[in-house]
Amino acid sequence: MGSYFFRTFADEFLTRGPMRRLLLIIICAHLFVTAGRAQGWPSEYDGVMLQAFYWDGYDDAQWTALEQQADQVSGTFDLVWLPQSGNCGGKSMGYDDLYWLSNYNSSFGTEAQLRSLISTYKAKGIKTLADVVINHRRNVSNWVDFPKETYKGVTYEMKSTDICADDEAKDWAKKNGYKLSSNNDTGEGWDGMRDLDHKSENVQTIVKAYLDFLKTDLGYAGFRYDMVKGYGAQFIGQYNSAAQPEFSVGECWDSSNTIKNWIEGTSMDGIIESAAFDFQFRYTVRNAMNNGDYRYLDLQNDGNWPLVSANFEQGQYRRYAVTFVENHDTERRPNAEQDPLKKDTLAANAFMLAMPGTPCVFMKHWQAYPAEIKAMVAARKAAGVNSESSYEVVGSAKKHFATKIKTASADRLLVVVGDVAAYEAANPLQQWVKVLSGYHYAYYFPVTMDMVYVDLPSGTYEGRQHATLTAVTTAADAQIVYTTDGTTPTVDSPAVDSGTSLMLPFGTTTLTVGLLVRGEVSGVVSRTYTVIEREEEIVITIPSFCEVGEDETCAFFEAPTSWDKTVMCWAWDTQNYTGGKWPGQACMRLGNADNGRAVWKWTYTGTLTTSPTNIIFSNNGSPQTDNLSFVNGGYYTMDGQKGVVPVGVPTPEKCATPTITYVGGKLLLQCATEGAECVWTLRSMTVSSGRGSSVTVAPQYLMSVYATADGYTDSETATALLVWGDAVVEGDNVIRMGGSASDGDVNGDGQVGIGDIVAITNIMAGK
């Protein structure tokens, strides 16, 4: 059709008069512009987004800190949503915006650092979204004044007449002789700042300059619009039509029908100009996880199906749905409970990352589970899931939920969340191969994909790593061939069975794998790893000072060395056991574990007779552990529960290993543990050596000693080789007893027997 159009256009252009030619040029130009428009969000988009901040997370969201993570982010996330980057006149998360065009030294770093971050990300294939707050604006010195800023030689300044007529500043303005706009707000009002009148030509001009600055000067690829219910959706259409961002998403926090109407309301010339966050998707996931009932994943939330649901407008808004399970407005904050996910964070993310729409991962979840989320995203991309894929629910029960995702009508991915083993036991999965699994989630590929799946994505890792190779094929005799030097594997390369786990060497390795079926290699894929050796592996051993009394409800936490504040505990079920105000109750520091980490204990002191079901430990609020299942006496680290301290039975300490010495004619056995008794055994190790017909036998005895004491476990065993005579013996624990006893006759009675053991005993006693 394209070649036909251009042939027809050429004929018309050459054979018609000047006015007809001009008309054709205008039509063609319009078609080119329309074709090049992103229409609010790219079609069939297969990227994944990261929200790179959380509330009051200033340290983690510093531009320099985010830039240092570029290698970790690259390859997993295609879009990164940054916090509002303009100066707000003080420490701020950016939602009381002040400067738009002139001052970008913010609470997250300097303008130079911001530009460096955006440039570094762009070089690694990561696009950035600016947080755009244009519903309202902060004032400079009174209720109605705004900063004067210059961009591209033009000076811009909002006036009091750019404030909505029904803004709460109206009484102050009237009293002080200022005039506001004659237009009321075109959306919901907010009394925190001045509501801007988007009907004002001056406001529109300044907003368009602002967006141009963000996109063409700073280098942002698109915009995340804050609080879009505060003004008419048509203005987003006007602004995006002028700015032409690659991506645009609005925060329309409401029902799915309201969100749909907002999306449609952004249309210009029939073209939708923005996507929106799928809030109802978030709520269905929250309902399922927090209630421990996975059936909620396919139920409405307060009468709302998610935008991505097949039950909402036949799924036609999936392209414009940005899904999420947590953000800075729903997360648990130190000073507010909010509306957080309380458990099953991994399952929630696994479900989101398998579904259509464009998933947006929350920074705290990425920080807590980088390896797991990285693997989930890699599986999503390998399966070819995109924003407009379809899905079919194939299993819905309280304890588990299964969904089959299709792209271009072909099965591409099966996700199971909840009790995976129970689902597998009840459902035949011969046409699927499990490629990834974790706590309460599993991903499966259809056997028809004919590929090798490597469960460890490319990247930089610390500590020993393994990559599991899975053959996804209908061929029962398939093997996997691989190389580790970047070359393409052949039939002569090392071959392994499906399910083999390869240990990666330290350093940089390019692992290339292929499917070997009937003498042919196909489906070759590569992964590049940099594995950094840890200086030491942290060993978790429950210290002996951890004790649980009778009828005591408690838990222990081994804190990271980076935690420098009092460890707080937050424990709950349907009731709260730690005061009900975050971050909860202070723990008591007991001492240090053998690895040097501080160990803290929380004990419930209230009147409830039940125990909590969930527990969180935090560094006085932040950072914090994930939601953990409470076990009485449980011993926890950031990685979860590591053991249980028995009730009424303290973990016994081990006796010190004894020493064996020979001093002043005495063989001494000593143990540093007070009250310890040494238990020893002797075993004859007599050996012979010599030359010719003369034979010399030198007595040798192997002594083994361990220490025992009440209240302690037995010590490690110490050994020493006791030697008489001049025999040449090498070793670290050789004790020469002196003398020239021969033939093992230590006591000199002419025989070798029990008397010699007695003689050695006497030596030990100093007799």
Side-chain angles (χ1 to χ4, degrees):
M1 180 174 178
S3 60
Y4 170 80
F5 167 79
F6 282 109
R7 287 197 306 272
T8 304
F9 171 77
D11 292 340
E12 288 289 310
F13 186 82
L14 293 173
T15 59
R16 301 298 179 180
M19 290 304 295
R20 181 63 65 85
R21 292 181 188 178
L22 177 60
L23 178 60
L24 287 172
I25 290 172
I26 292 172
I27 294 172
C28 187
H30 176 75
L31 289 173
F32 275 127
V33 170
T34 302
R37 294 268 286 281
Q39 298 189 36
W41 203 264
S43 63
E44 299 183 346
Y45 184 61
D46 61 0
V48 177
M49 181 172 161
L50 171 68
Q51 179 182 356
F53 64 96
Y54 54 89
W55 196 255
D56 286 343
Y58 297 104
D59 292 341
D60 288 345
Q62 286 292 304
W63 307 140
T64 52
L66 294 176
E67 185 171 1
Q68 290 170 2
Q69 300 171 43
D71 287 335
Q72 285 72 36
V73 172
S74 175
T76 297
F77 298 106
D78 308 272
L79 290 175
V80 174
W81 163 22
L82 298 179
Q84 202 281 110
S85 47
N87 185 286
C88 296
K91 189 172 185 178
S92 170
M93 287 300 296
Y95 295 106
D96 53 344
D97 56 319
L98 179 60
Y99 292 98
W100 287 3
L101 299 166
S102 62
N103 188 340
Y104 276 77
N105 296 317
S106 71
S107 297
F108 304 99
T110 67
E111 179 177 331
Q113 292 168 343
L114 172 64
R115 290 182 181 276
S116 179
L117 166 64
I118 294 173
S119 176
T120 297
Y121 274 23
K122 187 179 296 185
K124 293 185 177 294
I126 307 166
K127 297 179 180 180
T128 49
L129 295 188
D131 206 324
V132 177
V133 184
I134 55 175
N135 170 71
H136 52 266
R137 196 174 183 187
R138 183 175 178 174
N139 303 109
V140 176
S141 61
N142 61 36
W143 282 60
V144 296
D145 62 341
F146 299 94
K148 182 181 293 186
E149 302 176 281
T150 300
Y151 173 56
K152 291 184 177 179
V154 179
T155 298
Y156 300 92
E157 182 182 13
M158 288 185 179
K159 304 294 185 180
S160 63
T161 51
D162 293 320
I163 300 172
C164 295
D166 52 353
D167 186 86
E168 63 277 4
K170 60 183 182 293
D171 293 336
W172 184 94
K174 182 177 180 181
K175 181 179 179 180
N176 289 274
Y178 290 95
K179 184 179 180 181
L180 303 187
S181 171
S182 60
N183 300 316
N184 285 335
D185 203 333
T186 56
E188 295 181 359
W190 186 59
D191 60 7
M193 305 276 163
R194 302 291 71 75
D195 289 331
L196 302 180
D197 175 21
H198 286 271
K199 290 183 177 180
S200 163
E201 184 177 343
N202 189 45
V203 169
Q204 293 177 9
T205 298
I206 297 175
V207 170
K208 289 175 182 177
Y210 175 35
L211 299 181
D212 182 76
F213 173 76
L214 293 173
K215 179 172 175 280
T216 64
D217 197 312
L218 289 180
Y220 282 107
F223 313 128
R224 176 268 181 188
Y225 287 101
D226 179 65
M227 198 176 171
V228 297
K229 290 167 62 179
Y231 50 100
Q234 69 271 23
F235 298 111
I236 292 292
Q238 295 174 25
Y239 300 145
N240 281 351
S241 181
Q244 293 290 291
E246 292 182 63
F247 303 91
S248 173
V249 57
E251 182 206 27
C252 185
W253 195 341
D254 213 308
S255 68
S256 288
N257 275 325
T258 299
I259 298 172
K260 179 198 78 170
N261 292 337
W262 181 86
I263 292 172
E264 292 288 354
T266 68
S267 298
M268 292 287 291
D269 298 326
I271 298 174
I272 289 174
E273 292 287 349
S274 187
F277 286 104
D278 192 348
F279 277 88
Q280 298 306 321
F281 176 87
R282 189 267 166 184
Y283 287 130
T284 60
V285 173
R286 176 208 61 184
N287 295 343
M289 303 307 156
N290 289 1
N291 288 302
D293 187 342
Y294 293 95
R295 291 173 296 186
Y296 280 101
L297 292 173
D298 195 37
L299 297 176
Q300 291 177 298
N301 173 67
D302 292 336
N304 290 278
W305 293 108
L307 296 182
V308 297
S309 172
N311 295 307
F312 184 78
E313 303 289 347
Q314 292 77 50
Q316 64 177 308
Y317 287 92
R318 289 172 182 157
R319 169 177 174 175
Y320 304 107
V322 176
T323 56
F324 68 102
V325 297
E326 199 83 291
N327 69 15
H328 62 290
D329 284 324
T330 64
E331 63 166 325
R332 179 183 288 109
R333 295 181 185 173
N335 58 354
E337 172 66 11
Q338 302 293 100
D339 182 24
L341 281 177
K342 295 180 179 178
K343 57 183 178 179
D344 265 350
T345 302
L346 276 173
N349 279 278
F351 181 71
M352 174 183 71
L353 288 166
M355 291 289 284
T358 298
C360 180
V361 175
F362 185 45
M363 184 183 207
K364 281 189 176 180
H365 295 176
W366 169 243
Q367 290 175 326
Y369 303 106
E372 292 88 344
I373 289 176
K374 195 177 184 75
M376 293 174 191
V377 174
R380 174 189 178 90
K381 293 183 176 181
V385 177
N386 64 55
S387 59
E388 298 180 71
S389 295
S390 60
Y391 72 91
E392 176 187 351
V393 176
V394 294
S396 180
K398 182 176 182 179
K399 294 300 182 182
H400 50 72
F401 188 86
T403 305
K404 182 169 60 176
I405 295 88
K406 298 172 178 282
T407 298
S409 301
D411 291 345
R412 301 298 295 177
L413 179 65
L414 172 69
V415 57
V416 178
V417 292
D419 190 339
V420 174
Y423 179 81
E424 290 180 336
N427 295 274
L429 295 173
Q430 293 93 335
Q431 300 304 309
W432 298 90
V433 176
K434 185 190 294 185
V435 295
L436 189 66
S437 63
Y439 182 70
H440 280 182
Y441 73 90
Y443 282 179
Y444 308 77
F445 284 176
V447 294
T448 54
M449 287 181 69
D450 283 327
M451 63 174 294
V452 178
Y453 186 74
V454 185
D455 72 335
L456 187 68
S458 296
T460 299
Y461 298 89
E462 184 178 352
R464 182 63 68 188
Q465 300 293 321
H466 294 78
T468 299
L469 314 182
T470 303
V472 183
T473 178
T474 57
D477 59 345
Q479 283 194 300
I480 299 169
V481 287
Y482 71 93
T483 64
T484 55
D485 58 1
T487 59
T488 301
T490 67
V491 293
D492 297 319
S493 299
V496 295
D497 293 330
S498 179
T500 297
S501 181
L502 300 179
M503 185 172 69
L504 301 173
F506 294 117
T508 299
T509 302
T510 298
L511 173 66
T512 308
V513 299
L515 195 64
L516 177 61
V517 178
R518 291 181 288 277
E520 294 186 1
V521 178
S522 62
V524 175
V525 295
S526 289
R527 300 280 188 271
T528 299
Y529 307 105
T530 297
V531 182
I532 303 170
E533 186 174 6
R534 289 194 183 103
E535 292 185 4
E536 59 178 350
E537 296 290 337
I538 299 297
V539 177
I540 305 299
T541 303
I542 299 178
S544 60
F545 52 68
C546 293
E547 299 181 11
V548 179
E550 295 290 341
D551 300 322
E552 182 180 21
T553 299
C554 64
F556 303 86
F557 181 67
E558 187 177 299
T561 55
S562 60
W563 284 25
D564 56 357
K565 299 181 180 69
T566 298
V567 170
M568 306 295 286
C569 176
W570 183 259
W572 77 98
D573 47 26
T574 56
Q575 306 174 89
N576 194 282
Y577 292 72
T578 47
K581 184 177 180 180
W582 179 264
Q585 182 181 341
C587 298
M588 179 177 66
R589 179 169 177 164
L590 301 181
N592 287 351
D594 290 343
N595 56 33
R597 290 174 167 177
V599 177
W600 301 74
K601 180 180 181 180
W602 169 73
T603 299
Y604 176 59
T605 56
T607 58
L608 296 174
T609 57
T610 56
S611 294
T613 56
N614 305 284
I615 192 167
I616 292 174
F617 297 96
S618 72
N619 187 33
N620 197 26
S622 181
Q624 66 182 56
T625 65
D626 194 17
N627 298 346
L628 306 171
S629 295
F630 175 81
V631 174
N632 195 34
Y635 190 88
Y636 298 87
T637 71
M638 285 295 287
D639 296 325
Q641 184 188 340
K642 296 299 181 181
V644 178
V645 179
V647 176
V649 182
T651 303
E653 187 176 347
K654 182 179 290 188
C655 278
T657 303
T659 59
I660 308 171
T661 57
Y662 184 59
V663 181
K666 291 184 177 181
L667 192 61
L668 301 179
L669 307 181
Q670 296 174 305
C671 178
T673 301
E674 185 177 355
E677 179 183 7
C678 292
V679 180
W680 54 269
T681 58
L682 284 172
R683 183 159 60 94
S684 176
M685 302 288 288
T686 300
V687 297
S688 62
S689 63
R691 179 179 297 174
S693 59
S694 176
V695 178
T696 300
V697 180
Q700 299 178 22
Y701 291 87
L702 180 66
M703 171 168 277
S704 301
V705 184
Y706 68 89
T708 185
D710 291 340
Y712 294 83
T713 58
D714 292 346
S715 73
E716 302 290 338
T717 299
T719 60
L721 188 62
L722 312 182
V723 179
W724 279 262
D726 302 321
V728 178
V729 180
E730 296 181 354
D732 294 332
N733 298 305
V734 176
I735 298 177
R736 292 196 174 276
M737 306 297 291
S740 57
S742 62
D743 299 330
D745 184 10
V746 177
N747 65 357
D749 64 357
Q751 302 180 39
V752 177
I754 190 64
D756 300 298
I757 301 296
V758 174
I760 294 175
T761 305
N762 290 335
I763 292 173
M764 294 173 62
K767 297 179 180 179

